[in-house]
Amino acid sequence: MSLREALNIPSSQITDEAVYRDRRRLLAAFALSPALGLSGCAEAEAPPPPKAAPPSPEQIKAGFRTDEVQTSYADVTSYNNFYEFGTNKGDPSAADKTLRTSPWTVAVGGACAKPGKLSLEDLIKGLAPQERVYRLRCVEGWSMVIPWLGVPLADVLKRFEPTSKAKYVAFTTLADRKQMPGIAYPSINWPYREGLRIDEAMHPLTLLATGLYGKPLPQQNGAPLRLVVPWKYGFKSIKSIIAISFVEHRPLTSWNDLQSNEYGFFSNVNPAVDHPRWSQKTERRIAGTGSKLFADRIPTRLFNGYGEQVSSLYAGMNLRTWF
Amino acid sequence: MIAAKIVVHALALTPAAILAWQIREEFLTGSGGLGADPIAAIEHRLGLWALRLLMIALAVTPLRQLTGQAALLRFRRLLGLYAFFYASLHLAAYLILDLKGYWTQIFEEIAKRPYITVGFLAWLLLIPLALTSTQGMMRRLGRLWGRLHQLVYVIAVLAVLHFWWLVKSDIREPALYAAILAVLLGWRVWRRFAEARARARQTAAR
């Protein structure tokens, strides 16, 4: 391989993120083994690392993990809709890292017995982070498969002891002109707001994510804390959360506020309900490491394929009216 | 003149050449600088250049009138044909790379989505203009040729509308093209009024 070719190797092709992480685990195991540890060139001589453990049938059944080809770390972190940092997909990752993620506080209030303003650390204290590999379907017709790291939202919410008046949960994103250059342009009525019905928020699939690919969330992916609701269009998964509120009435949500005929409150992934500009019948899957010139377009599934887990939440509802 | 034409050809082909190179890199290495969704990037880039060339072609007449350089007119057909070239590649990318095996979805998309309807219509209207762009057709059609080629104003409006309707909430970029188009068309309207006034004055003076 010539030097020029060597320099041209894309980062995505060097080592798959999952393989890389397994490799570290492998090396840690080697370090514990005296014979290999002394050999000095254990790393070079090591056999190819095993693939990350495939998800168990139970995990797949629960929807917690999927064995579909994952989107590369480079793609997950360079193709983002996060208008607080600009409206082009590359803007959020290209923006200066101006977001101060530490210290970070989240105000939790409304219809609950124990409201409070907590540091991020206190908010998730004692909750073991879990890895969830979810499909993410954007309303624009593309999708990814992302290994998130986070805690079930239900575990966090229960600590505040919501009262019977808590019918919905409202979320707010930070909107700081100094940290977020996109705020200068009113593409959205800042701050960005989202909401879920309480049963949706309490669903085991709903994740409060703090990382992806085993690393802390980058700024562009909603550092340091974001929501992930895998059966809804991506915009429901609000980023950089600073406030959570238990409310009695359906809260205002940003995209619904902007164009209520295009973006409903529920925004469940539904191939039968078209968006006026993008067909929701199919989606382009952005995944894998090779060339994406011929990325597959695949049929979109109702509730993004999580129907088995979540369809009971919408029993009796007309999903065309409540889109 | 020939040298100038070669320069214009080269300039008009440059975006296509750059994109072709990036597609090659993407194909070979998986990173051609086209981002996580290269198909969307290719579509967007081709569409943008179709629109830009259309605007440049529409700027020829005002520029000639302002500078008095009649020679400028010789580039108009070339620029218009390049706009058609990029628009056709834009549509081809949509059908072949984006919709792929689901290409029959195009009919539904045209029928249901206004931004695709107007975009497709703009491309359709470009076809008769491209077909009648030869000297022979110009001669044969006579006065009708000029009438037919006024369609370009409709096409330009549809093309800007196509762009405008596809953005979600940040309208700054399509608004820029709308403003450019408004100036280009506004100039023509203003000229026409000014000429009519001048003629009226002449008649009155006589």
Side-chain angles (χ1 to χ4, degrees):
Chain A
M1 188 186 287
S2 77
L3 181 64
R4 208 185 134 271
E5 276 173 283
L7 289 171
N8 272 338
I9 292 177
S11 56
S12 60
Q13 277 205 341
I14 290 172
T15 308
D16 188 69
E17 187 71 23
V19 176
Y20 172 73
R21 279 167 53 215
D22 252 45
R23 175 178 157 277
R24 280 192 297 184
R25 210 183 304 162
L26 202 72
L27 286 175
F30 282 157
L32 294 173
S33 146
L36 280 169
L38 286 172
S39 78
C41 51
E43 192 180 355
E45 308 270 306
K51 279 265 173 203
S56 69
E58 292 78 35
Q59 287 173 321
I60 291 179
K61 191 159 166 34
F64 290 165
R65 289 182 70 181
T66 167
D67 51 10
E68 284 155 281
V69 178
Q70 294 178 12
T71 303
S72 73
Y73 182 79
D75 288 343
V76 175
T77 56
S78 65
Y79 200 70
N80 309 92
N81 280 323
F82 196 178
Y83 284 14
E84 283 81 344
F85 291 97
T87 53
N88 286 321
K89 302 253 181 333
D91 290 344
S93 55
D96 289 331
K97 299 294 174 256
T98 44
L99 186 70
R100 286 192 311 274
T101 55
S102 178
W104 189 270
T105 52
V106 182
V108 185
C112 62
K114 293 179 174 171
K117 200 168 179 182
L118 282 74
S119 72
L120 173 59
E121 293 74 23
D122 286 339
L123 187 76
I124 56 171
K125 198 186 217 155
L127 298 172
Q130 303 179 11
E131 190 178 61
R132 300 282 179 86
V133 185
Y134 286 154
R135 292 178 289 275
L136 179 134
R137 169 63 154 82
C138 179
V139 72
E140 296 164 350
W142 51 267
S143 63
M144 294 183 172
V145 178
I146 305 173
W148 300 103
L149 213 60
V151 297
L153 178 65
D155 292 350
V156 174
L157 295 185
K158 279 175 200 156
R159 298 178 160 187
F160 298 90
E161 299 178 12
T163 67
S164 59
K165 279 194 168 167
K167 303 273 194 295
Y168 294 90
V169 188
F171 303 87
T172 310
T173 296
L174 175 74
D176 181 357
R177 200 171 280 267
K178 284 193 216 94
Q179 299 182 59
M180 300 166 143
I183 297 276
Y185 179 70
S187 53
I188 280 166
N189 304 322
W190 313 115
Y192 192 95
R193 278 159 288 191
E194 257 308 333
L196 295 171
R197 217 168 53 192
I198 190 86
D199 55 343
E200 298 177 318
M202 292 292 186
H203 193 277
L205 282 176
T206 309
L207 195 73
L208 207 48
T210 55
L212 59 85
Y213 267 121
K215 295 184 213 185
L217 284 173
Q219 168 178 291
Q220 60 269 31
N221 292 88
L225 185 72
R226 69 170 291 168
L227 193 66
V228 181
V229 196
W231 70 93
K232 293 175 182 284
Y233 292 117
F235 65 87
K236 289 296 283 187
S237 294
I238 187 169
K239 299 181 171 103
S240 302
I241 300 166
I242 58 159
I244 302 175
S245 184
F246 297 98
V247 292
E248 190 168 0
H249 300 288
R250 203 167 73 200
L252 180 137
T253 58
S254 287
W255 281 103
N256 181 244
D257 176 42
L258 276 176
Q259 277 137 334
S260 57
N261 64 323
E262 301 192 356
Y263 309 94
F265 172 80
F266 287 96
S267 292
N268 290 314
V269 174
N270 190 343
V273 177
D274 268 342
H275 181 279
R277 280 172 285 172
W278 302 286
S279 165
Q280 304 299 7
K281 281 199 178 67
T282 57
E283 65 203 52
R284 187 159 59 248
R285 178 58 59 81
I286 300 168
T289 46
S291 161
K292 280 173 283 289
L293 274 179
F294 305 104
D296 274 334
R297 188 170 271 280
I298 53 179
T300 290
R301 294 148 76 189
L302 181 62
F303 300 119
N304 201 19
Y306 297 97
E308 201 183 322
Q309 293 83 19
V310 303
S311 60
S312 62
L313 295 175
Y314 310 100
M317 280 173 74
N318 182 340
L319 297 177
R320 284 186 180 275
T321 315
W322 301 103
F323 66 93
Chain B
M1 195 65 209
I2 290 169
K5 281 216 165 161
I6 289 171
V7 171
V8 173
H9 274 291
L11 285 175
L13 281 169
T14 302
I18 292 171
L19 188 61
W21 178 260
Q22 285 181 301
I23 290 170
R24 181 187 170 273
E25 291 288 290
E26 178 68 37
F27 182 72
L28 293 175
T29 68
S31 74
L34 292 168
D37 194 354
I39 297 172
I42 292 164
E43 267 170 8
H44 190 200
R45 188 101 59 89
L46 290 168
L48 210 49
W49 278 105
L51 185 59
R52 284 172 181 165
L53 280 155
L54 197 58
M55 297 289 141
I56 296 169
L58 279 172
V60 168
T61 299
L63 274 180
R64 189 207 52 175
Q65 289 162 343
L66 283 169
T67 61
Q69 292 285 325
L72 279 171
L73 219 48
R74 302 196 189 185
F75 298 103
R76 198 171 57 180
R77 168 170 56 192
L78 208 110
L79 291 164
L81 282 172
Y82 270 114
F84 178 62
F85 167 73
Y86 279 99
S88 302
L89 286 180
H90 174 63
L91 177 64
Y94 176 56
L95 288 175
I96 298 164
L97 291 178
D98 191 340
L99 291 180
K100 250 171 101 185
Y102 294 89
W103 71 270
T104 47
Q105 202 171 300
I106 180 75
F107 301 111
E108 195 193 323
E109 301 280 328
I110 290 169
K112 278 171 111 173
R113 270 164 261 292
Y115 89 91
I116 294 181
T117 317
V118 297
F120 187 72
L121 194 60
W123 179 78
L124 276 185
L125 291 177
L126 276 172
I127 297 174
L129 301 201
L131 289 178
T132 58
S133 66
T134 60
Q135 296 285 359
M137 286 306 282
M138 228 170 150
R139 251 196 324 273
R140 237 171 295 165
L141 289 172
R143 281 172 62 88
L144 202 66
W145 189 91
R147 282 287 212 38
L148 180 69
H149 280 250
Q150 283 182 348
L151 269 180
V152 74
Y153 304 131
V154 179
I155 292 166
V157 171
L158 292 175
V160 170
L161 209 55
H162 172 64
F163 191 8
W164 193 296
W165 273 346
L166 88 93
V167 301
K168 280 204 295 192
S169 76
D170 183 356
I171 49 124
R172 282 174 292 185
E173 212 184 344
L176 171 71
Y177 287 93
I180 293 169
L181 182 61
V183 169
L184 292 173
L185 297 185
W187 165 266
R188 287 166 164 85
V189 173
W190 180 80
R191 279 281 296 202
R192 212 161 260 199
F193 272 117
E195 278 166 15
R197 255 203 316 273
R199 265 200 305 277
R201 250 199 312 270
Q202 266 177 356
T203 332
R206 229 178 273 155

